Amino acid sequence: MHFLITYDVETTTTEGQRRLTKVAKCCKNYGQRVQNSVFECLLTEKDLITLRSALSSIINKETDSIRIYRLGNYYKTKIEQIGKETSFDIEGTLII
Amino acid sequence: MHFLITYDVETTTTEGQRRLTKVAKCCKNYGQRVQNSVFECLLTEKDLITLRSALSSIINKETDSIRIYRLGNYYKTKIEQIGKETSFDIEGTLII
């Protein structure tokens, strides 16, 4: 299942910058960054549970915000890009 | 139909900051900001066409990126929030 994860982390403190880096690292394990604070991830329900709890443990719930959008399985037709392309086809063949 | 609009605008120049402000203003006409560069909008297909062309005319396509996600009609069950709540129910009753 395809998910979109967007986040806002309050970064006026070094602690906040550290949280921001951790959130991005955490999301990178499950998908690709398509914009500064936007990740597209292919997740099983088990992955979702793991990722959700990891993100919850990282952020400061008073100042930071994470939103998880369930895009479903047929997501490619649901996404439109204008301007600078920043993502590759997460299910496409990887040519090395 | 419910849409999610996420954007990255390159703001190292004053011109870039101006574009960022314009993009946000443009999205505000159609929906609500849920994170710094994330808007949730209820759009007809006509609105989508208008908004898409307005955003295309604002951004610098070399440096900036806009992604439009079609969430469908039954979006409430598709969104999960962790941490600081930043949005209200776009279709909920407005109490004045």
Side-chain angles (χ1 to χ4, degrees):
Chain A
M1 175 83 72
H2 192 87
F3 289 83
L4 188 74
I5 298 179
T6 69
Y7 54 84
D8 262 1
V9 175
E10 197 266 322
T11 53
T12 49
T13 62
T14 13
E15 213 322 73
Q17 279 145 28
R18 221 175 281 135
R19 289 197 308 273
L20 182 67
T21 310
K22 277 189 199 165
V23 166
K25 244 186 209 160
C26 201
C27 291
K28 239 180 228 161
N29 293 334
Y30 292 91
Q32 63 156 344
R33 172 177 255 157
V34 291
Q35 285 174 346
N36 268 333
S37 47
V38 179
F39 276 79
E40 289 179 14
C41 301
L42 274 180
L43 303 172
T44 63
E45 293 302 327
K46 205 170 149 258
D47 291 334
L48 176 63
I49 294 166
T50 314
L51 180 56
R52 184 195 288 138
S53 93
L55 292 173
S56 294
S57 66
I58 292 169
I59 63 163
N60 172 334
K61 294 195 176 66
E62 302 297 317
T63 58
D64 307 338
S65 152
I66 290 180
R67 294 178 75 83
I68 301 173
Y69 294 86
R70 189 180 285 261
L71 292 182
N73 288 318
Y74 311 102
Y75 63 91
K76 279 180 205 157
T77 55
K78 298 179 185 173
I79 303 175
E80 209 179 309
Q81 165 81 30
I82 306 171
K84 195 175 123 195
E85 184 63 48
T86 49
S87 74
F88 58 90
D89 179 354
I90 201 163
E91 289 180 297
T93 34
L94 190 67
I95 300 150
I96 298 170
Chain B
M1 175 81 73
H2 193 86
F3 290 82
L4 189 73
I5 298 177
T6 69
Y7 53 84
D8 261 1
V9 175
E10 195 268 320
T11 54
T12 50
T13 62
T14 14
E15 210 329 76
Q17 278 144 28
R18 219 175 282 135
R19 290 197 309 273
L20 182 67
T21 310
K22 277 190 202 163
V23 165
K25 245 188 209 156
C26 200
C27 292
K28 242 181 224 163
N29 292 335
Y30 291 91
Q32 63 156 343
R33 171 175 259 158
V34 291
Q35 285 175 343
N36 269 335
S37 47
V38 179
F39 276 80
E40 288 178 14
C41 302
L42 274 181
L43 304 173
T44 62
E45 292 302 327
K46 206 171 148 256
D47 291 335
L48 177 63
I49 293 165
T50 313
L51 180 56
R52 183 195 289 137
S53 93
L55 293 173
S56 293
S57 67
I58 292 170
I59 64 164
N60 173 333
K61 295 195 175 66
E62 302 296 316
T63 58
D64 306 339
S65 151
I66 290 181
R67 291 177 77 84
I68 300 174
Y69 296 84
R70 187 179 286 260
L71 293 182
N73 289 319
Y74 311 101
Y75 62 91
K76 281 180 201 156
T77 56
K78 298 179 185 173
I79 304 175
E80 208 180 311
Q81 164 80 30
I82 306 171
K84 193 175 130 198
E85 183 65 47
T86 48
S87 76
F88 59 89
D89 178 355
I90 200 163
E91 287 182 299
T93 35
L94 189 67
I95 300 150
I96 299 172

